[in-house]
Amino acid sequence: MTSNFKSVRRLVVALFGAAALVSIANRALAQTTWPTKPVKIVVPFAPGGTTDILARAIAPELSKSLGQTFFIENRGGAGGNVGTAIVAKSPADGYTLLMGTVGTHGINKSLYRTLPYDPQKDFAPITLVAGVPNVMVMNVDKARTLGIHNVPDFIKYARAHPGQLNMASSGNGTSIHLAGELFKAMTGTFMVHIPYTGSGPALMGLLSGNVDVMFDNLPSSMAQIKGGKLTAFAVTSSQRSTAMPELPTIEEAAKLKGFDASSWFGLLAPAGTPADVILKLQQETAKALNSPAIKEKLLAQGAIPSGNSPQEFAKFIDSEIKKWAPVVKASGARVD
């Protein structure tokens, strides 16, 4: 009996050992051959927005450097949650990626009572692709009438006249809305929030004088600023925009230490994607973002290329979730 037992045990150990060797061999094969077929990048918003623009800027570069087609699939809905959840539930094999945003991986965890994904546990961060500052803009005539020429003037007026200024946004809980809420919280001011159905309609409301101020994405306001139809006071990012370097940051203009309400966009994969695939994607994306053509294209649109490490991106996501939670709570924005 003892002899038979030992024989069975040796057989089991041998089988497990063989299985382990096969697993290791398969992983090694995957490491040397990925990608062997086209790779999908899911954009969780409709075509034409900044998320879509950035994804389409890097996809051809990844196709060239990795020898397989990287294609875009737009799966919009529910503030980016539909497309994001699709990627979260996809196989962790490196063939389905997500272009995530400050919304999907920073704001939505606090904004939605329930999410169909966990922004931290369900994803393997690859790299931050770019940050896009918002810009504090005001209706030209209103600014002139009220004698508001800069951020300190604005704060002084808003404190002296609480509730008399209207703040437009592209909708409840959007980065444009919450940039304004962060500004209100850090300056002790109160403005009436007027949510629109998108950035375009909000911008039209601002231009027509129906609302007074907006913390819009820089790319969508840039033409109106340069055309003299909007007065721009400052950008909301931690550093000045190369697209409009004459504008100070809000931190500089108002001495609000730590103020940073940028929109950002980054590549992520389903949790469990092999580490070597993640690293290869990060390296090739960083290389693309540093190429003169792509860098110039993004900077001209007001985007600041990144390409940081997966570890750095993971820490950044954690910090963004913590940063936006109290801002969402203070704003009262909530989506059931």
Side-chain angles (χ1 to χ4, degrees), residues 5 16 29 53 56 73 93 226 233 279 304 322 328:
F5 177 77
F16 272 106
L29 182 62
I53 291 169
R56 293 181 189 279
E73 183 176 293
D93 55 10
K226 290 185 175 181
F233 295 141
L279 182 59
I304 303 169
K322 291 173 183 175
V328 171

Side-chain angles (χ1 to χ4, degrees), residues 48-318:
T50 305
T51 317
D52 188 62
I53 291 169
L54 290 174
R56 293 181 189 279
I58 64 169
E61 302 301 313
L62 293 175
S63 297
K64 285 188 285 186
S65 64
L66 291 170
Q68 287 289 340
T69 300
F70 280 68
F71 66 97
I72 309 303
E73 183 176 293
N74 296 90
R75 299 297 294 269
N81 291 342
V82 172
T84 303
I86 288 171
V87 178
K89 296 173 175 62
S90 295
D93 55 10
Y95 292 100
T96 303
L97 309 177
L98 174 76
M99 182 61 83
T101 71
V102 62
T104 63
H105 281 75
I107 295 172
N108 286 2
K109 188 169 185 178
S110 300
L111 182 63
Y112 289 80
R113 293 189 187 279
T114 58
L115 276 181
Y117 62 90
D118 187 302
Q120 293 155 299
K121 294 179 182 178
D122 291 344
F123 291 90
I126 298 169
T127 189
L128 179 66
V129 172
V132 175
N134 290 7
V135 59
M136 184 180 181
V137 287
M138 194 171 180
N139 177 279
V140 171
D141 293 332
K142 191 64 173 282
R144 186 184 302 116
T145 300
L146 299 179
I148 298 175
H149 307 290
N150 50 44
V151 180
D153 284 349
F154 185 94
I155 294 171
K156 182 179 179 180
Y157 184 90
R159 284 175 176 167
H161 304 85
Q164 291 187 25
L165 291 174
N166 294 327
M167 180 185 77
S169 85
S170 52
N172 281 315
T174 61
S175 64
I176 293 172
H177 171 206
L178 295 182
E181 294 296 341
L182 183 62
F183 180 85
K184 287 162 61 177
M186 293 184 70
T187 59
T189 57
F190 173 67
M191 296 171 278
V192 178
H193 174 223
I194 308 296
Y196 284 77
T197 56
S199 181
L203 197 59
M204 291 303 296
L206 187 65
L207 290 167
S208 65
N210 291 331
V211 284
D212 306 315
V213 66
M214 184 177 175
F215 295 79
D216 193 25
N217 293 138
L218 180 57
S220 62
S221 282
M222 194 181 301
Q224 305 296 344
I225 295 168
K226 290 185 175 181
K229 296 181 179 180
L230 289 177
T231 297
F233 295 141
V235 291
T236 65
S237 51
S238 61
Q239 56 184 303
R240 293 194 181 203
S241 169
T242 55
M244 300 193 77
E246 70 278 8
L247 289 180
T249 66
I250 285 180
E251 181 178 33
E252 289 175 326
K255 295 181 173 57
L256 294 178
K257 187 176 181 181
F259 189 98
D260 184 4
S262 302
S263 297
W264 54 262
F265 310 84
L267 275 179
L268 303 104
T273 300
D276 64 296
V277 172
I278 297 295
L279 182 59
K280 187 179 290 187
L281 280 164
Q282 185 274 326
Q283 290 173 339
E284 295 304 324
T285 303
K287 189 185 300 181
L289 293 171
N290 282 320
S291 68
I294 298 298
K295 197 169 188 177
E296 183 179 345
K297 181 179 180 180
L298 297 187
L299 290 174
Q301 295 174 348
I304 303 169
S306 178
N308 62 1
S309 72
Q311 295 77 18
E312 289 169 333
F313 189 28
K315 288 180 181 178
F316 178 72
I317 290 171
D318 292 345

